[in-house]
Amino acid sequence: MKTYGTYFQNDPERPLCYGEVNLIDPPRRRLRGEPEKRGIEAVPVFCGFCGTDFELMHMGKRGELGAKFPLGEKRLINGHEGVVWVPSENRFAIVLIRGGDSADPTRYTEDETYFEYGCDGADGIFCDRGYFNPDMLLHLPEQYEGLRKLPLSLAKKLVFSDPYACAVFQHERMCDIGAAQNFRVIMAKQKCSPAEAMEAAYDATFDRTVIFGLGTTGLFIGDQIRRNHPDARILFVARSAPDSKKARFAVGELGCEYLCSNGLSEPQTAGAIVRALGGRASMFVGTSGTGVEHRVAFKEKVLGCNGVYNSFSLGPQITFDTMPFGFENHVIMASINFTQAHMEQAIRILCESRFDRLTEMIDKDEFTADPIGAYENKIYAPGAPLKTAVVWNEAYIDRTV
């Protein structure tokens, strides 16, 4: 079957194109031990743009995408955030992006493999038609199962299913590692049992939390911490003005504090963070994509004794002085992606959220006329919205709600 969509290719001038593409449908498995299944047809309805897409476009310009293409192909249909319509089942669905021959594709081991729709080895959703493993077309909550048109406000929330699921996974990992890191300290201080100390450490991990960066990932991690640890002190740090839309959202909707670091040196930023928190951080989450975050945490000593550094930025290298790192008992952790359970939890939370206020739209014709220009000059230009999305198929969208 042929379809129209945008696709990546290795080309220094045209790494992202819009046009006719021949679809392939190789059998894929969701998890190790399950049978391989051919995809069923789905109609992409609403698509969101992700920084991963932007990076893949640059990789195509540098000729580095060969390993990302579906087997035997020289192109990859992009897009992995959004909502599709499944004609054979008369319902909307969220595509579970990552699967493969793995017991847990989010934490696969050396003898396991994975694929990701729209990112790695499998075509995504920026197209008129697509094929997806039927076990990976996740249901919306029951109250939305009978919809024949998707409210635009709901679509604007569900476009965050992937990044919010990643935040659910992040919170789970921070709890696991933070509790293991600190329960013995609490047990010694409080003279309590290991079980009691572990329970206390679950919250103490987030007593003084820094989230360095104010993108969707940082906001969603902050939202997860606030939902699960209502007494946590959470400080966002970024260069955005305090009256920016996303800074106001972090303060007003998430109940967090905000520090604008624009114009501050790294030592000044560190001092302002410690003063705002009333002490050094117990948890430092790096989401800014810059090297500033690890220098502020380690060199400028924002991360406190027994603190955890959660590296979520892709790109920066982390360096630290081994003497204080060892004696202050720091831990560095990292984790990306999510399981199906995380995605299903994210879908339920998003449906009841107000995150639609963070999504702004681009017209489909404007995007398809010049997809590279749209990415560079609008979607990821300075001052761009926190999230940009496009209605891919108007027939399934209700713009009145």
Side-chain angles (χ1 to χ4, degrees):
M1 182 172 71
K2 293 184 180 295
T3 190
Y4 279 86
T6 58
Y7 56 91
F8 295 123
Q9 59 183 2
N10 282 326
D11 189 305
E13 302 297 327
R14 300 177 69 239
L16 179 63
C17 301
Y18 175 76
E20 190 176 54
V21 185
N22 185 54
L23 286 176
I24 61 172
D25 183 24
R28 305 184 190 278
R29 60 168 48 92
R30 178 179 56 175
L31 293 172
R32 173 161 285 195
E34 295 184 352
E36 289 186 333
K37 293 184 179 181
R38 290 198 175 274
I40 61 174
E41 184 180 336
V43 179
V45 173
F46 192 84
C47 307
F49 299 90
C50 174
T52 300
D53 303 334
F54 197 38
E55 177 57 27
L56 289 171
M57 186 179 80
H58 287 113
M59 289 176 65
K61 186 175 288 189
R62 299 190 298 266
E64 299 172 351
L65 279 181
K68 300 289 187 182
F69 296 143
L71 187 64
E73 299 295 317
K74 294 184 178 180
R75 89 295 173 278
L76 171 68
I77 297 174
N78 63 306
H80 58 279
E81 298 181 351
V83 187
V84 301
W85 173 258
V86 186
S88 61
E89 299 178 3
N90 288 315
R91 67 177 178 93
F92 292 102
I94 304 293
V95 180
L96 177 64
I97 296 305
R98 183 177 268 223
D101 188 18
S102 312
D104 177 357
T106 67
R107 299 175 70 180
Y108 64 96
T109 59
E110 292 80 2
D111 66 335
E112 297 179 332
T113 60
Y114 74 93
F115 68 89
E116 290 183 322
Y117 287 116
C119 298
D120 198 336
D123 289 327
I125 65 172
F126 273 103
C127 53
D128 295 344
R129 292 284 190 278
Y131 292 113
F132 304 94
N133 183 310
D135 297 332
M136 298 175 70
L137 292 167
L138 305 185
H139 286 256
L140 272 58
E142 187 176 357
Q143 64 266 37
Y144 301 110
E145 282 293 327
L147 288 177
R148 291 297 178 266
K149 285 201 169 191
L150 190 69
L152 182 60
S153 60
L154 180 59
K156 285 182 173 183
K157 299 174 185 179
L158 291 171
V159 77
F160 292 117
S161 296
D162 286 74
Y164 198 96
C166 212
V168 176
F169 184 36
Q170 287 287 305
H171 173 254
E172 177 183 279
R173 291 272 286 151
M174 286 188 285
C175 287
D176 290 348
I177 292 172
Q181 162 79 339
N182 284 306
F183 85 95
R184 294 188 183 279
V185 176
I186 292 173
M187 187 167 61
K189 286 181 177 179
Q190 299 183 6
K191 311 297 186 204
C192 58
S193 70
E196 291 169 325
M198 189 69 78
E199 184 175 352
Y202 174 78
D203 286 321
T205 296
F206 303 98
D207 277 350
R208 293 183 302 277
T209 297
V210 173
I211 300 177
F212 208 92
L214 197 55
T216 53
T217 298
L219 282 174
F220 295 156
I221 290 174
D223 186 60
Q224 269 294 288
I225 295 172
R226 174 59 69 225
R227 286 173 182 269
N228 291 281
H229 312 273
D231 296 328
R233 191 158 193 181
I234 306 168
L235 176 69
F236 280 92
V237 182
R239 294 182 297 176
S240 301
D243 62 352
S244 66
K245 185 174 182 179
K246 52 189 178 181
R248 287 187 283 110
F249 193 92
V251 174
E253 294 292 327
L254 307 186
C256 300
E257 299 172 68
Y258 179 68
L259 171 65
C260 175
S261 62
N262 192 33
L264 299 180
S265 66
E266 290 174 15
Q268 289 172 329
T269 299
I273 292 171
V274 173
R275 288 192 297 273
L277 287 176
R280 294 167 70 188
S282 57
M283 173 65 68
F284 192 111
V285 185
T287 70
S288 71
T290 70
V292 175
E293 55 194 32
H294 76 90
R295 292 192 296 271
V296 167
F298 296 112
K299 181 181 177 182
E300 304 301 333
K301 295 187 176 297
V302 164
L303 187 63
C305 290
N306 307 301
V308 177
Y309 184 95
N310 181 3
S311 172
F312 197 78
S313 291
L314 298 179
Q317 294 186 352
I318 297 174
T319 60
F320 52 86
D321 185 336
T322 55
M323 182 71 80
F325 182 82
F327 276 95
E328 294 188 354
N329 293 297
H330 290 150
V331 166
I332 298 176
M333 60 165 280
S335 53
I336 297 176
N337 296 303
F338 46 83
T339 67
Q340 180 171 332
H342 297 130
M343 174 72 94
E344 290 168 341
Q345 184 178 344
I347 292 169
R348 292 192 298 271
I349 291 172
L350 288 168
C351 286
E352 304 302 321
S353 77
R354 300 178 67 184
F355 285 118
D356 54 307
R357 297 167 57 196
L358 300 176
T359 305
E360 298 187 24
M361 306 300 297
I362 186 173
D363 182 75
K364 181 184 177 183
D365 290 340
E366 178 185 356
F367 171 59
T368 57
D370 182 12
I372 295 175
Y375 270 106
E376 294 179 338
N377 302 319
K378 187 168 184 176
I379 299 167
Y380 288 104
L386 191 64
K387 172 63 70 177
T388 302
V390 59
V391 173
W392 200 264
N393 193 316
E394 288 281 352
Y396 295 96
I397 289 288
D398 183 354
R399 287 184 177 267
T400 65
V401 288

